[in-house]
Amino acid sequence: MRSSDRSRTIAAAGVLGALVHGYDTSFTSPSTLQAHIPRTQAQSGARSSGLGVMGAGAVAACAATAAAVVRPGRPAKGSPGRHVGRTAASALNPDNFSDVCDQTGVTLNRYMIEANRQGVVDTDILSVMNSIREATKVISKLVNTAPLAQAELLGLEGAINVQGEDQKKLDVITNDVLKKALRYTGKLGTMASEEEDMPVSAALSLDLETTASGTVLSDTGKYVCVFDPLDGSSNVDAGIAVGTIFGIFKESEESNAVCDLPANIKDLDGDQVSCLAATLQPGKALVAAGYVLYSCSTELVFTLGRGVVGFTLDSSIGEYVLTRPSIEIPSRGKIYSCNEANMENWDEPFQQYIKDIQTGNCETKNKYSLRYIGSMVGDVHRTLLYGGLFAYPADTKNKDGKLRLLYEAAPMSFLLEQAGGLAITGHSRVMDIPPVSVHQRVPIILGSKDDVEECKKYYEKCDDPKLKERCANRLKGLVTA
Ligand code: FDP
């Protein structure tokens, strides 16, 4: 674990992963893109200690709601997101859970306890997921009731966030809700959020060292949580779908590694350097990732590195209930999703690809339809369930696209790969990119495997050396964004 006097410096970004985390930062050929399956405790044969067959919370939840609801059914055959026969690293099979409450079905709490029993996650991840569960229930309520709340809640707070964007009150509030919930786990070493300029130690803040009840927060966290508390927030005033995105990394055990500190962060103190080093990990180091979509219903979709599962918030009992036991993205879709207003500025291969799927001059000969909410979580959720492609590519103005690598692109890429899809920047796999800064942007094209592979062929055919160089440099961590 970190300590404030630990003298750790950070490598020039390209070798940061190798030095601090021991990753292979070499270029991954687009033709060898594969779903990344991180090494979980299950895979290493380890098993965490702890909880009984059915946690007290799950029993209590069942008893408390015995008269309440119908047990949610499974998705029908052929319905969107239906599991279609994953074998390796698939999600837990709820049919094997004993004593599932007929009234509630499998709650998130129950699911995580089973994941812990089966050695898929340790009790620390369990605590972190509990916090995400509780915080996102609150955020769901805040988003849903925002129009009813005080008028000023909807307006601009007046502050500008670290991205230079107007920061809305809901951004601030939801960031606070998530941050506090995560801090109180005592299981996190570091957190990084879209709304904070630097990652923070989960136990650093003085006012949080001691809780109201006098419990001192543990500083033994071994995980790092990155999150965007309210993605798509420019939509929120219009009542359009928004979401929370999160990713969980494990702090490296070799975190005492000494690296070179880039000039622009020389002023950081020891803790800030430690937090930064712990946070700047490529997507392939994620151990869990997911999102919550606040829309007609509140949907929590996540991966623990073993397939993708979906839960729906049942507000009548205040619980997330398993509704999609195993989500696999269709290998082809008929929908593309991107901000077409930027078309004339896009990289040439992406422009050509979109023109071809618009006109049916593509492998399937289908004319694809455009759907774009402009809210990443909503657009990715639809893409995951119906197939097709979501993209925020590079353009002449934004050479690295718009979306953030650490807390938008990497978690979504992990999720998509775990669902059988792919996520690329053009030439390379998003998950392979070593971040050089917390708020680094990256172009992203994600979705159905066959669609993304078809799009990638346009990049492979294109011999624009500058475009190739940009992709290769990102993999080497030579980006300054
Ligand atoms: P927002 O600015 O509203 O927070 O993360 C940024 C994001 O939303 C994504 O959710 C969304 O996909 C994208 O920006 C939309 O950008 P454009 O308005 O440029 O299409």
Side-chain angles (χ1 to χ4, degrees):
M1 185 47 207
R2 299 179 320 277
S3 65
S4 47
D5 60 351
R6 181 184 300 171
S7 66
R8 202 170 33 170
T9 53
I10 300 176
V15 289
L16 178 69
L19 281 172
V20 177
H21 307 296
Y23 304 124
D24 175 8
T25 55
S26 59
F27 183 85
T28 301
S29 157
S31 60
T32 61
L33 292 176
Q34 283 176 347
H36 162 66
I37 297 167
R39 185 177 159 81
T40 61
Q41 283 187 308
Q43 287 161 316
S44 65
R47 197 184 161 95
S48 61
S49 62
L51 299 158
V53 173
M54 190 168 177
V59 175
C62 182
T65 58
V69 290
V70 181
R71 184 178 178 188
R74 298 281 157 72
K77 267 191 183 150
S79 71
R82 166 102 188 151
H83 168 58
V84 284
R86 292 171 71 78
T87 46
S90 52
L92 305 185
N93 184 351
D95 290 341
N96 297 336
F97 295 7
S98 63
D99 301 316
V100 172
C101 174
D102 286 342
Q103 305 300 317
T104 60
V106 176
T107 61
L108 178 59
N109 189 40
R110 176 68 201 279
Y111 188 90
M112 291 306 299
I113 288 169
E114 287 290 342
N116 175 251
R117 283 185 62 241
Q118 294 185 26
V120 177
V121 293
D122 62 19
T123 49
D124 288 7
I125 292 273
L126 209 61
S127 299
V128 173
M129 286 299 290
N130 280 349
S131 291
I132 290 171
R133 181 191 69 205
E134 292 311 306
T136 57
K137 287 196 290 191
V138 175
I139 296 173
S140 174
K141 184 243 166 200
L142 286 168
V143 168
N144 279 300
T145 57
L148 299 170
Q150 296 169 341
E152 66 261 29
L153 194 69
L154 288 170
L156 300 179
E157 196 188 41
I160 302 282
N161 74 6
V162 291
Q163 328 289 355
E165 299 156 343
D166 289 328
Q167 200 170 9
K168 305 235 169 168
K169 276 197 169 177
L170 264 184
D171 290 2
V172 181
I173 296 165
T174 54
N175 186 49
D176 212 42
V177 167
L178 205 44
K179 202 166 70 173
K180 283 187 175 148
L182 287 167
R183 271 186 169 157
Y184 275 90
T185 64
K187 304 298 181 191
L188 281 176
T190 307
M191 295 182 294
S193 158
E194 193 202 14
E195 303 301 330
E196 315 269 347
D197 54 355
M198 290 295 285
V200 290
S201 162
L204 254 187
S205 169
L206 287 178
D207 58 341
L208 285 166
E209 290 292 345
T210 308
T211 67
S213 61
T215 317
V216 176
L217 282 168
S218 146
D219 189 21
T220 58
K222 62 182 180 204
Y223 289 101
V224 177
C225 190
V226 293
F227 55 87
D228 184 350
L230 200 63
D231 190 73
S233 54
S234 62
N235 288 308
V236 84
D237 289 4
I240 292 167
V242 288
T244 296
I245 306 172
F246 63 91
I248 304 172
F249 295 99
K250 196 166 187 174
E251 281 205 354
S252 165
E253 273 160 25
E254 304 91 59
S255 54
N256 280 317
V258 176
C259 329
D260 297 324
L261 194 65
N264 62 340
I265 58 166
K266 267 192 177 131
D267 296 337
L268 302 185
D269 65 27
D271 269 313
Q272 287 172 316
V273 170
S274 292
C275 290
L276 195 57
T279 308
L280 295 182
Q281 301 189 48
K284 62 187 171 186
L286 283 162
V287 295
Y291 61 77
V292 179
L293 171 70
Y294 311 106
S295 184
C296 313
S297 53
T298 296
E299 304 285 330
L300 165 63
V301 174
F302 67 92
T303 179
L304 302 171
R306 296 247 318 236
V308 176
V309 286
F311 288 77
T312 302
L313 182 61
D314 182 342
S315 53
S316 68
I317 56 169
E319 288 277 359
Y320 282 105
V321 176
L322 183 64
T323 44
R324 299 182 193 275
S326 184
I327 298 175
E328 182 157 314
I329 185 170
S331 57
R332 271 282 182 199
K334 292 180 185 166
I335 298 173
Y336 69 100
S337 182
C338 48
N339 187 341
E340 223 174 69
N342 298 331
M343 186 179 233
E344 65 181 38
N345 295 327
W346 286 339
D347 289 335
E348 188 275 325
F350 194 73
Q351 263 190 52
Q352 196 51 53
Y353 168 73
I354 293 295
K355 282 178 188 157
D356 286 350
I357 59 172
Q358 280 172 342
T359 54
N361 181 29
C362 52
E363 287 175 4
T364 61
K365 306 293 174 209
N366 288 328
K367 289 185 182 177
Y368 284 50
S369 298
L370 169 66
R371 301 276 185 278
Y372 188 62
I373 304 168
S375 184
M376 187 190 196
V377 176
D379 285 317
V380 169
H381 188 65
R382 184 199 50 250
T383 305
L384 184 64
L385 298 184
Y386 296 170
L389 189 129
F390 165 82
Y392 211 109
D395 61 50
T396 46
K397 285 191 207 142
N398 308 297
K399 302 249 182 256
D400 292 300
K402 175 180 182 188
L403 303 180
R404 311 289 171 169
L405 174 58
L406 256 184
Y407 45 80
E408 291 180 317
M412 289 303 203
S413 299
F414 184 29
L415 204 74
L416 259 289
E417 288 195 3
Q418 284 290 320
L422 292 174
I424 59 172
T425 61
H427 282 284
S428 40
R429 180 181 178 229
V430 172
M431 297 274 280
D432 285 334
I433 299 173
V436 299
S437 70
V438 177
H439 303 293
Q440 176 181 344
R441 297 175 197 266
V442 73
I444 187 163
I445 301 163
L446 62 76
S448 295
K449 181 173 172 292
D450 294 350
D451 288 314
V452 177
E453 276 176 349
E454 184 176 351
C455 177
K456 193 171 53 160
K457 287 179 195 157
Y458 286 72
Y459 281 86
E460 284 164 357
K461 270 188 296 190
C462 168
D463 48 17
D464 177 352
K466 287 199 174 139
L467 203 161
K468 282 186 178 164
E469 193 188 353
R470 277 207 309 275
C471 282
N473 281 347
R474 272 188 215 105
L475 284 169
K476 293 185 209 145
L478 295 177
V479 202
T480 49

